[in-house]
Amino acid sequence: MTKKLAETLALLVAVCVGVKVAAGFVSAALPALIPLLVMALVSVVVMRWRNHL
């Protein structure tokens, strides 16, 4: 029982650390990613629009 509790706590800590690291990475990478996301969205819209014609 104690082992399971320790494993659960370790998993919880790992998840919290992972989320914190991911949030830091996203906030650092977001300015670079926004133009890429916009370009990808525009290209998808253009492709679908051309397929409609």
Side-chain angles (χ1 to χ4, degrees):
M1 184 65 192
T2 311
K3 188 169 187 261
K4 191 140 184 93
L5 188 68
E7 284 177 1
T8 306
L9 278 173
L11 190 66
L12 214 63
V13 168
V15 167
C16 286
V17 169
V19 166
K20 201 165 170 60
V21 168
F25 178 74
V26 165
S27 66
L30 210 58
L33 286 178
I34 285 174
L36 287 176
L37 288 171
V38 168
M39 279 165 51
L41 197 65
V42 166
S43 59
V44 166
V45 167
V46 167
M47 291 291 213
R48 284 177 180 250
W49 186 64
R50 283 179 63 191
N51 286 346
H52 261 317
L53 296 177

